Amino acid sequence: MIHSAYNPQNEAKVFVQNTEIPFKAQTLVILEPGLSYCAPFFREKFPGIRLCAVRFTNAFSEADTLFDAVFHLFSADERHTFEAELQAFFKEDGILYAHFAQWLPCAKIFAELSDIAWAVIKKQLELSQTILNTNGYFSKRWLKNAVAFIRNGRHFATIERGTEPVLIAASGTSLSSSLYEIQKIRNRVFLIAVSSALSPLLHHGITPDLVISTDGGYWAKLHLTALLKQHGIPLALSAEGAAFSKILSQSTIVPLSYRDGAGSALLARCGIPSFSAERNGTVSGTALEAALSMTSGPVFLCGLDLASARGFQHTMPNALDTQNDAVAGRLCTKETRITRSRFNAGALAVYEAWFSRESSRFSARAFRLSAGFSYANTLGSIRDIDFSEAKRMLPKSFTPIKISCSEAKNADAQQNARRFLKEKQHDEAFIKECFPIEYLSYRRTGDPTLAREQLLALQKKACAFITTLIGI
């Protein structure tokens, strides 16, 4: 039996009394609490905390109302896996503010299921920690990019939805064999190039309708340098994305707004129009969701290998490889660099997992397209097709997707940006965005006096950073 036949309430009370949370948690998650006699005792001991349960079975579903949220280890719907439920509930970092405990009788009875659940939880914690570390390293750079975006951008545009088929070109090695076929259907699709695919497309005489870039790191800028020579190609860029000031001032920019964070709020405050986009670890994911929202027609994905290749990891020419070739020597040869990149392709597995996990949302209109390329993977329910099948999907007539230029940037935009930043000096959401690791430490601190000291220190750091931003 899962509960005592004589006094299950007392058994649950003892379980709660023995459960300690070593930090100030926002959420407490109980793995299979059975009939859930523990729920009221947890609410009494930890008032105000979100109380959640992980169900291994549906046998105790009548007690689900005792919890703020219930996760299911198994589901008939592949879109609502335990992993997906955790991600949807906790978002990027919420799981780092959560404590997990387990009802021990269930741990013994459902030992195998318990191991599966803990493995998923561990994976999600590691993923959130990785995201936190990334944000901690890049967050201030992203905000600097957003300020530079406002200061240097001159010509902004928005996208008008149509029915035109969209082809997204990523830079995986399969793109190389597709270039000739892309040329043949070029006038029948709206062509979006992710930043790293821009150079190979232009090298083969193919001019995209739009380039998209979301990376905020310095190296992302290099992929866009071709825009300095090839004028007239609009650039879809997130506010936190990196681009050289000359590109920002010369190009038509379609600002991408994730509808969260200081970058998107800054665009809105400065009256700059934007196109709604979804934040994603890979620009190809953002490009796919954007394409599906800008057309009701099919969307084709070329060069989306998401797997390491034997030689070059990208279709050539590639801006980063071109720059690295200039400094290659006997101590760090070109072959050494290529081999290293092949074995350091862990991020590709993460991106592949995202496409596979989310594939059911896209598979009705999204297809991975190649000229008979033999992929090393599949992307869930997203079908792999060749150009002969893609051509049969292309309509004889369609409503074009249009990029409409707005007025030039408002002269007051920079002043509005300064006012916006000054208002954020004591804003906790802004502080969390700028200093996510320190903020996590502050929010997890149980000692009120120490927490107050940490918050004051963070506010001081935020003020100093804002002073730097205003002076950029």
Side-chain angles (χ1 to χ4, degrees), residues 8-84:
Q9 288 93 345
N10 186 64
E11 189 177 89
K13 188 174 183 179
V14 171
F15 168 53
V16 172
Q17 288 174 341
N18 292 332
T19 299
E20 298 296 335
I21 303 178
F23 60 94
K24 184 180 178 182
Q26 296 178 356
T27 307
L28 174 60
V29 184
I30 311 301
L31 275 67
E32 191 47 87
L35 291 171
S36 305
Y37 290 112
C38 61
F41 296 114
F42 272 123
R43 291 200 184 277
E44 181 180 352
K45 183 175 182 178
F46 302 107
I49 202 168
R50 289 190 302 185
L51 188 61
C52 303
V54 177
R55 290 297 187 196
F56 297 168
T57 171
N58 292 326
F60 310 112
S61 58
E62 72 272 12
D64 286 355
T65 56
L66 297 174
F67 298 92
D68 297 307
V70 175
F71 310 114
H72 303 87
L73 186 59
F74 296 108
S75 171
D77 188 344
E78 64 178 13
R79 293 172 297 180
H80 295 96
T81 63
F82 180 40
E83 183 177 0

Coordinates of all heavy atoms in Angstrom, one line a residue, residues 8-84:
P8 N -3.0 7.8 7.5 CA -2.2 8.4 6.4 C -1.9 9.8 6.6 O -0.9 10.3 6.1 CB -3.2 8.1 5.2 CG -4.5 8.0 5.7 CD -4.3 7.3 7.0
Q9 N -2.8 10.6 7.2 CA -2.6 12.0 7.5 C -1.3 12.2 8.3 O -0.5 13.1 8.1 CB -3.8 12.7 8.2 CG -5.0 12.8 7.2 CD -5.9 11.7 7.3 OE1 -5.6 10.6 7.9 NE2 -7.1 11.8 6.8
N10 N -1.2 11.4 9.3 CA 0.0 11.5 10.2 C 1.3 11.1 9.5 O 2.3 11.8 9.6 CB -0.1 10.6 11.4 CG 1.0 10.8 12.4 OD1 1.1 11.9 13.0 ND2 1.8 9.8 12.6
E11 N 1.2 10.1 8.6 CA 2.3 9.7 7.8 C 2.8 10.9 6.9 O 4.0 11.2 6.7 CB 1.9 8.5 6.9 CG 3.1 7.9 6.2 CD 2.6 6.6 5.4 OE1 2.2 6.8 4.3 OE2 2.7 5.6 6.0
A12 N 1.8 11.6 6.3 CA 2.1 12.7 5.4 C 2.7 13.9 6.2 O 3.6 14.6 5.8 CB 0.8 13.2 4.7
K13 N 2.1 14.1 7.4 CA 2.6 15.1 8.3 C 4.1 14.9 8.6 O 4.9 15.9 8.6 CB 1.8 15.2 9.6 CG 2.1 16.4 10.4 CD 1.1 16.5 11.6 CE 1.4 17.8 12.4 NZ 0.4 17.9 13.6
V14 N 4.5 13.7 8.9 CA 5.9 13.4 9.2 C 6.8 13.7 8.0 O 7.9 14.2 8.1 CB 6.0 11.9 9.7 CG1 7.5 11.5 9.8 CG2 5.3 11.7 11.0
F15 N 6.3 13.3 6.8 CA 7.0 13.5 5.6 C 7.3 15.0 5.4 O 8.4 15.5 5.1 CB 6.2 13.0 4.4 CG 6.7 13.4 3.0 CD1 8.0 13.2 2.6 CD2 5.8 14.0 2.1 CE1 8.4 13.6 1.4 CE2 6.2 14.4 0.9 CZ 7.5 14.2 0.5
V16 N 6.3 15.8 5.6 CA 6.4 17.3 5.5 C 7.4 17.9 6.5 O 8.2 18.7 6.2 CB 5.0 18.0 5.6 CG1 5.2 19.5 5.6 CG2 4.1 17.6 4.4
Q17 N 7.2 17.4 7.8 CA 8.1 17.9 8.8 C 9.6 17.6 8.5 O 10.5 18.3 8.9 CB 7.7 17.2 10.2 CG 6.4 17.7 10.8 CD 6.0 17.0 12.0 OE1 6.5 15.8 12.3 NE2 5.1 17.5 12.8
N18 N 9.8 16.5 7.8 CA 11.2 16.1 7.5 C 11.7 16.7 6.2 O 12.9 16.5 5.8 CB 11.3 14.5 7.4 CG 11.1 13.9 8.8 OD1 11.4 14.5 9.8 ND2 10.6 12.6 8.8
T19 N 10.9 17.4 5.5 CA 11.3 18.0 4.3 C 11.8 19.5 4.5 O 11.0 20.3 5.1 CB 10.1 18.1 3.3 OG1 9.7 16.8 3.0 CG2 10.5 18.8 2.0
E20 N 13.0 19.7 4.2 CA 13.6 21.0 4.4 C 14.1 21.6 3.0 O 14.6 20.8 2.2 CB 14.8 21.0 5.4 CG 14.4 20.6 6.8 CD 13.4 21.5 7.5 OE1 13.4 22.7 7.1 OE2 12.7 21.1 8.4
I21 N 13.9 22.8 2.8 CA 14.3 23.5 1.6 C 15.5 24.4 1.9 O 15.4 25.3 2.7 CB 13.2 24.3 0.9 CG1 12.0 23.4 0.7 CG2 13.7 25.0 -0.4 CD1 10.8 24.2 0.1
P22 N 16.7 24.1 1.4 CA 17.9 24.8 1.8 C 18.1 26.2 1.2 O 19.1 26.8 1.4 CB 19.1 23.9 1.3 CG 18.5 23.2 0.1 CD 17.0 23.0 0.4
F23 N 17.1 26.7 0.5 CA 17.1 28.0 0.0 C 15.7 28.6 -0.1 O 14.7 27.8 0.2 CB 17.8 28.0 -1.4 CG 17.1 27.2 -2.4 CD1 16.1 27.8 -3.3 CD2 17.3 25.8 -2.5 CE1 15.4 27.0 -4.2 CE2 16.7 25.1 -3.5 CZ 15.7 25.6 -4.3
K24 N 15.6 29.8 -0.4 CA 14.2 30.4 -0.6 C 13.7 30.0 -1.9 O 14.0 30.6 -3.0 CB 14.3 31.9 -0.4 CG 12.9 32.6 -0.4 CD 13.1 34.1 -0.3 CE 11.8 34.8 -0.3 NZ 11.9 36.3 -0.2
A25 N 12.8 29.0 -2.0 CA 12.2 28.5 -3.2 C 10.9 29.2 -3.5 O 10.2 29.6 -2.7 CB 12.1 27.0 -3.1
Q26 N 10.6 29.3 -4.8 CA 9.4 29.8 -5.3 C 8.4 28.7 -5.5 O 7.2 28.9 -5.5 CB 9.5 30.7 -6.5 CG 10.4 31.9 -6.4 CD 10.6 32.7 -7.6 OE1 10.2 32.3 -8.7 NE2 11.3 33.8 -7.5
T27 N 8.9 27.5 -5.8 CA 8.1 26.4 -6.2 C 8.6 25.1 -5.5 O 9.8 24.9 -5.4 CB 8.1 26.2 -7.7 OG1 7.8 27.4 -8.4 CG2 7.1 25.1 -8.1
L28 N 7.6 24.3 -5.0 CA 7.9 23.0 -4.4 C 7.2 22.0 -5.3 O 6.0 22.1 -5.5 CB 7.5 23.0 -3.0 CG 7.6 21.6 -2.3 CD1 9.0 21.1 -2.2 CD2 7.0 21.7 -0.9
V29 N 8.0 21.0 -5.8 CA 7.4 20.0 -6.7 C 7.6 18.6 -6.0 O 8.7 18.2 -5.6 CB 8.1 19.9 -8.0 CG1 7.5 18.9 -8.9 CG2 8.1 21.3 -8.7
I30 N 6.4 17.9 -5.8 CA 6.4 16.6 -5.1 C 6.3 15.6 -6.2 O 5.3 15.6 -7.0 CB 5.3 16.5 -4.1 CG1 5.3 17.7 -3.1 CG2 5.4 15.2 -3.3 CD1 6.6 17.9 -2.4
L31 N 7.2 14.6 -6.3 CA 7.1 13.5 -7.2 C 6.2 12.5 -6.7 O 6.4 11.9 -5.6 CB 8.5 12.9 -7.5 CG 9.3 13.6 -8.6 CD1 9.7 15.0 -8.1 CD2 10.5 12.8 -8.9
E32 N 5.1 12.3 -7.4 CA 4.0 11.3 -7.1 C 3.6 11.3 -5.6 O 4.0 10.4 -4.9 CB 4.3 9.9 -7.6 CG 3.1 9.0 -7.6 CD 1.9 9.6 -8.2 OE1 1.6 9.5 -9.4 OE2 1.1 10.2 -7.4
P33 N 2.8 12.3 -5.2 CA 2.4 12.3 -3.8 C 1.2 11.4 -3.5 O 0.6 11.5 -2.4 CB 2.0 13.8 -3.6 CG 1.5 14.2 -5.0 CD 2.4 13.5 -6.0
G34 N 0.9 10.5 -4.4 CA -0.2 9.5 -4.1 C -1.5 10.2 -3.9 O -1.9 11.1 -4.7
L35 N -2.2 9.9 -2.8 CA -3.5 10.5 -2.5 C -3.3 12.0 -2.0 O -4.3 12.6 -1.7 CB -4.2 9.7 -1.5 CG -4.7 8.3 -2.0 CD1 -5.2 7.4 -0.8 CD2 -5.7 8.5 -3.1
S36 N -2.1 12.4 -1.9 CA -1.8 13.8 -1.6 C -2.2 14.4 -0.3 O -2.6 15.6 -0.1 CB -2.4 14.7 -2.7 OG -2.0 14.2 -4.0
Y37 N -2.2 13.5 0.8 CA -2.5 14.0 2.1 C -1.5 15.0 2.6 O -1.7 15.8 3.5 CB -2.5 12.8 3.1 CG -3.6 11.9 3.0 CD1 -3.4 10.6 2.5 CD2 -4.9 12.3 3.3 CE1 -4.5 9.7 2.3 CE2 -6.0 11.4 3.2 CZ -5.8 10.1 2.7 OH -6.8 9.2 2.5
C38 N -0.3 15.1 1.9 CA 0.7 16.0 2.3 C 0.5 17.4 1.9 O 1.1 18.4 2.4 CB 2.1 15.5 1.7 SG 2.1 15.5 -0.1
A39 N -0.4 17.6 0.9 CA -0.5 19.0 0.3 C -0.9 20.1 1.3 O -0.2 21.1 1.4 CB -1.6 18.9 -0.8
P40 N -1.9 19.9 2.2 CA -2.3 20.9 3.1 C -1.2 21.2 4.1 O -1.0 22.4 4.6 CB -3.6 20.4 3.8 CG -3.6 19.0 3.5 CD -2.9 18.8 2.2
F41 N -0.4 20.2 4.5 CA 0.7 20.4 5.5 C 1.8 21.2 4.8 O 2.4 22.0 5.5 CB 1.2 19.0 6.0 CG 0.2 18.2 6.7 CD1 -0.3 17.0 6.2 CD2 -0.3 18.7 8.0 CE1 -1.3 16.3 7.0 CE2 -1.3 18.0 8.7 CZ -1.8 16.8 8.2
F42 N 2.1 20.9 3.5 CA 3.1 21.7 2.8 C 2.7 23.2 2.7 O 3.5 24.1 2.9 CB 3.4 21.1 1.4 CG 4.4 20.1 1.4 CD1 4.1 18.8 0.9 CD2 5.7 20.3 1.9 CE1 5.1 17.8 0.8 CE2 6.7 19.3 1.8 CZ 6.4 18.1 1.3
R43 N 1.4 23.4 2.5 CA 1.0 24.8 2.4 C 1.0 25.5 3.7 O 1.3 26.7 3.8 CB -0.5 24.8 1.8 CG -0.6 24.4 0.4 CD -1.9 24.9 -0.3 NE -2.0 24.4 -1.6 CZ -1.4 24.9 -2.7 NH1 -0.7 26.0 -2.5 NH2 -1.6 24.4 -3.9
E44 N 0.9 24.8 4.8 CA 1.0 25.3 6.1 C 2.4 25.6 6.5 O 2.7 26.7 7.1 CB 0.4 24.4 7.1 CG 0.4 24.9 8.6 CD -0.2 23.9 9.6 OE1 -0.8 22.9 9.1 OE2 -0.1 24.2 10.8
K45 N 3.3 24.7 6.1 CA 4.7 24.9 6.4 C 5.4 25.9 5.5 O 6.3 26.7 6.0 CB 5.5 23.6 6.3 CG 6.9 23.6 6.7 CD 7.6 22.3 6.7 CE 9.1 22.4 7.2 NZ 9.7 21.1 7.2
F46 N 5.0 26.0 4.3 CA 5.7 26.9 3.3 C 4.6 27.8 2.7 O 4.2 27.6 1.5 CB 6.4 26.1 2.2 CG 7.5 25.2 2.7 CD1 7.3 23.8 2.7 CD2 8.7 25.7 3.2 CE1 8.2 22.9 3.1 CE2 9.6 24.8 3.7 CZ 9.4 23.4 3.6
P47 N 4.1 28.7 3.4 CA 3.0 29.6 2.9 C 3.5 30.5 1.7 O 4.6 31.0 1.8 CB 2.6 30.5 4.1 CG 3.8 30.5 5.0 CD 4.4 29.1 4.8
G48 N 2.6 30.6 0.7 CA 2.9 31.4 -0.4 C 3.7 30.7 -1.5 O 3.8 31.2 -2.6
I49 N 4.2 29.5 -1.2 CA 5.0 28.8 -2.3 C 4.0 28.1 -3.3 O 2.9 27.7 -2.9 CB 5.9 27.7 -1.6 CG1 7.1 27.3 -2.5 CG2 5.1 26.5 -1.2 CD1 8.1 26.5 -1.8
R50 N 4.5 28.0 -4.5 CA 3.7 27.3 -5.5 C 3.9 25.8 -5.3 O 5.0 25.3 -5.2 CB 4.1 27.6 -6.9 CG 3.7 29.0 -7.4 CD 3.9 29.2 -8.9 NE 5.3 29.0 -9.2 CZ 5.8 29.2 -10.5 NH1 5.0 29.6 -11.4 NH2 7.1 28.9 -10.7
L51 N 2.8 25.0 -5.1 CA 2.9 23.6 -4.8 C 2.5 22.8 -6.1 O 1.4 23.0 -6.6 CB 2.0 23.3 -3.7 CG 2.1 21.9 -3.1 CD1 3.5 21.6 -2.6 CD2 1.1 21.6 -2.0
C52 N 3.4 22.0 -6.6 CA 3.1 21.2 -7.8 C 3.3 19.7 -7.5 O 4.0 19.3 -6.5 CB 4.0 21.7 -8.9 SG 3.9 23.4 -9.3
A53 N 2.8 18.9 -8.4 CA 3.0 17.4 -8.3 C 3.4 16.9 -9.6 O 3.0 17.4 -10.7 CB 1.7 16.8 -7.8
V54 N 4.1 15.8 -9.6 CA 4.5 15.0 -10.8 C 3.7 13.7 -10.6 O 3.9 12.9 -9.7 CB 6.0 14.8 -10.9 CG1 6.3 13.9 -12.1 CG2 6.7 16.1 -11.0
R55 N 2.9 13.4 -11.6 CA 2.1 12.1 -11.6 C 2.8 11.0 -12.4 O 3.1 11.2 -13.5 CB 0.7 12.4 -12.1 CG -0.2 13.2 -11.2 CD -0.4 12.6 -9.8 NE -1.4 13.3 -9.0 CZ -1.6 13.1 -7.7 NH1 -0.8 12.2 -7.1 NH2 -2.4 13.8 -7.0
F56 N 2.9 9.9 -11.7 CA 3.4 8.7 -12.4 C 2.3 7.9 -13.0 O 2.4 7.0 -13.8 CB 4.2 7.8 -11.5 CG 5.5 8.4 -11.0 CD1 6.2 7.9 -9.9 CD2 6.0 9.6 -11.5 CE1 7.4 8.4 -9.5 CE2 7.2 10.2 -11.1 CZ 7.8 9.6 -10.0
T57 N 1.1 8.1 -12.4 CA -0.1 7.3 -12.8 C -1.3 8.2 -12.7 O -1.3 9.2 -12.0 CB -0.3 6.1 -11.9 OG1 -1.6 5.5 -12.1 CG2 -0.2 6.5 -10.4
N58 N -2.4 7.9 -13.3 CA -3.7 8.6 -13.3 C -4.5 8.2 -12.1 O -5.7 8.7 -11.9 CB -4.5 8.5 -14.6 CG -3.8 9.2 -15.7 OD1 -3.1 10.2 -15.6 ND2 -3.9 8.6 -16.9
A59 N -4.1 7.2 -11.3 CA -4.9 6.6 -10.3 C -5.3 7.7 -9.2 O -6.3 7.5 -8.5 CB -4.2 5.5 -9.6
F60 N -4.5 8.7 -9.0 CA -4.7 9.7 -8.0 C -5.2 11.0 -8.5 O -5.0 12.1 -7.8 CB -3.5 9.8 -7.1 CG -2.8 8.5 -6.7 CD1 -1.6 8.1 -7.2 CD2 -3.5 7.7 -5.8 CE1 -1.1 6.9 -6.8 CE2 -3.0 6.5 -5.4 CZ -1.7 6.1 -5.9
S61 N -5.7 11.1 -9.7 CA -6.0 12.3 -10.3 C -7.1 13.1 -9.6 O -7.2 14.4 -9.8 CB -6.5 12.1 -11.8 OG -7.6 11.2 -11.8
E62 N -7.9 12.5 -8.8 CA -9.0 13.2 -8.1 C -8.4 14.2 -7.1 O -9.0 15.1 -6.6 CB -9.9 12.2 -7.3 CG -9.3 11.5 -6.1 CD -8.6 10.2 -6.5 OE1 -8.3 10.0 -7.7 OE2 -8.3 9.4 -5.5
A63 N -7.1 14.0 -6.7 CA -6.4 14.9 -5.8 C -5.6 16.0 -6.4 O -5.0 16.8 -5.8 CB -5.5 14.1 -4.8
D64 N -5.7 16.1 -7.8 CA -4.9 17.1 -8.5 C -5.3 18.5 -8.1 O -4.5 19.4 -8.3 CB -5.1 16.9 -10.0 CG -4.3 15.7 -10.5 OD1 -3.6 15.0 -9.7 OD2 -4.5 15.3 -11.7
T65 N -6.6 18.7 -7.7 CA -7.0 20.1 -7.4 C -6.3 20.7 -6.2 O -6.4 21.9 -5.9 CB -8.5 20.1 -7.2 OG1 -8.8 19.2 -6.1 CG2 -9.3 19.7 -8.4
L66 N -5.6 19.8 -5.4 CA -4.9 20.3 -4.3 C -3.6 21.0 -4.6 O -2.9 21.7 -3.8 CB -4.5 19.2 -3.3 CG -5.8 18.4 -2.7 CD1 -5.3 17.2 -2.0 CD2 -6.5 19.4 -1.8
F67 N -3.2 21.0 -5.9 CA -1.9 21.5 -6.4 C -2.1 22.7 -7.4 O -3.2 22.8 -8.1 CB -1.1 20.4 -7.0 CG -0.7 19.3 -6.1 CD1 -1.5 18.2 -6.0 CD2 0.4 19.4 -5.3 CE1 -1.2 17.2 -5.1 CE2 0.7 18.4 -4.4 CZ -0.1 17.3 -4.3
D68 N -1.1 23.6 -7.4 CA -1.2 24.7 -8.4 C -1.0 24.2 -9.8 O -1.4 24.9 -10.7 CB -0.2 25.8 -8.0 CG -0.5 26.4 -6.6 OD1 -1.6 26.8 -6.4 OD2 0.4 26.3 -5.7
A69 N -0.2 23.2 -9.9 CA 0.1 22.6 -11.3 C 0.4 21.1 -11.1 O 1.0 20.7 -10.1 CB 1.2 23.3 -12.0
V70 N 0.0 20.3 -12.1 CA 0.3 18.9 -12.1 C 1.0 18.5 -13.4 O 0.5 18.9 -14.5 CB -1.0 18.1 -11.9 CG1 -0.6 16.6 -12.0 CG2 -1.6 18.4 -10.6
F71 N 2.2 17.9 -13.3 CA 2.9 17.4 -14.5 C 2.7 15.9 -14.6 O 2.5 15.2 -13.6 CB 4.4 17.7 -14.4 CG 4.7 19.2 -14.0 CD1 5.2 19.5 -12.8 CD2 4.3 20.2 -14.8 CE1 5.5 20.8 -12.4 CE2 4.6 21.5 -14.5 CZ 5.2 21.8 -13.3
H72 N 2.7 15.4 -15.8 CA 2.5 14.0 -16.1 C 3.8 13.4 -16.7 O 4.2 13.9 -17.7 CB 1.3 13.8 -17.0 CG 0.0 14.4 -16.4 ND1 -0.3 15.8 -16.7 CD2 -0.9 13.9 -15.6 CE1 -1.4 16.0 -16.0 NE2 -1.8 14.9 -15.4
L73 N 4.2 12.3 -16.1 CA 5.4 11.7 -16.6 C 5.2 11.1 -18.0 O 6.1 11.1 -18.8 CB 5.9 10.5 -15.6 CG 7.2 9.9 -16.0 CD1 8.4 10.9 -16.0 CD2 7.5 8.8 -15.0
F74 N 4.0 10.6 -18.2 CA 3.7 10.1 -19.6 C 2.4 10.7 -20.1 O 1.5 10.9 -19.3 CB 3.6 8.5 -19.5 CG 4.9 7.9 -19.2 CD1 5.1 7.2 -18.0 CD2 6.0 7.9 -20.1 CE1 6.3 6.6 -17.6 CE2 7.2 7.2 -19.8 CZ 7.3 6.6 -18.5
S75 N 2.3 10.9 -21.4 CA 1.1 11.5 -22.0 C 1.0 10.9 -23.4 O 2.0 10.6 -24.1 CB 1.3 13.0 -22.1 OG 0.2 13.5 -22.8
A76 N -0.3 10.7 -23.8 CA -0.5 10.2 -25.1 C -0.2 11.2 -26.2 O 0.0 10.9 -27.3 CB -2.0 9.7 -25.2
D77 N -0.2 12.5 -25.8 CA 0.1 13.6 -26.7 C 1.6 13.9 -26.7 O 2.1 14.3 -25.6 CB -0.7 14.8 -26.3 CG -0.6 15.9 -27.4 OD1 0.3 15.9 -28.2 OD2 -1.5 16.8 -27.3
E78 N 2.3 13.7 -27.8 CA 3.7 13.9 -27.8 C 4.1 15.3 -27.6 O 5.2 15.7 -27.2 CB 4.3 13.4 -29.1 CG 3.8 14.2 -30.3 CD 4.5 13.7 -31.6 OE1 5.1 12.6 -31.6 OE2 4.3 14.4 -32.6
R79 N 3.2 16.3 -27.8 CA 3.4 17.7 -27.5 C 3.4 18.0 -26.1 O 3.9 19.1 -25.7 CB 2.4 18.5 -28.3 CG 2.5 18.5 -29.8 CD 1.3 19.2 -30.4 NE 0.1 18.6 -30.1 CZ -1.1 19.0 -30.5 NH1 -1.2 20.0 -31.3 NH2 -2.2 18.4 -30.2
H80 N 2.9 17.1 -25.2 CA 2.8 17.4 -23.8 C 3.6 16.4 -23.0 O 3.1 15.8 -22.1 CB 1.3 17.4 -23.4 CG 0.5 18.5 -24.0 ND1 -0.2 18.4 -25.1 CD2 0.4 19.8 -23.7 CE1 -0.8 19.5 -25.5 NE2 -0.4 20.4 -24.6
T81 N 4.8 16.2 -23.4 CA 5.7 15.3 -22.6 C 6.0 15.9 -21.3 O 5.9 17.1 -21.1 CB 7.0 15.0 -23.4 OG1 7.7 16.2 -23.6 CG2 6.6 14.4 -24.7
F82 N 6.5 15.1 -20.3 CA 7.0 15.7 -19.0 C 8.0 16.8 -19.2 O 7.9 17.8 -18.6 CB 7.5 14.5 -18.2 CG 8.0 14.9 -16.8 CD1 7.3 15.8 -16.1 CD2 9.2 14.4 -16.3 CE1 7.8 16.2 -14.8 CE2 9.6 14.7 -15.1 CZ 8.9 15.6 -14.3
E83 N 8.9 16.5 -20.1 CA 10.0 17.5 -20.4 C 9.3 18.8 -20.9 O 9.7 19.9 -20.5 CB 10.9 16.9 -21.4 CG 12.1 17.9 -21.8 CD 13.1 17.2 -22.7 OE1 12.8 16.0 -23.1 OE2 14.1 17.8 -23.1
A84 N 8.4 18.7 -21.9 CA 7.8 19.9 -22.5 C 6.9 20.6 -21.4 O 6.9 21.8 -21.4 CB 6.9 19.5 -23.7

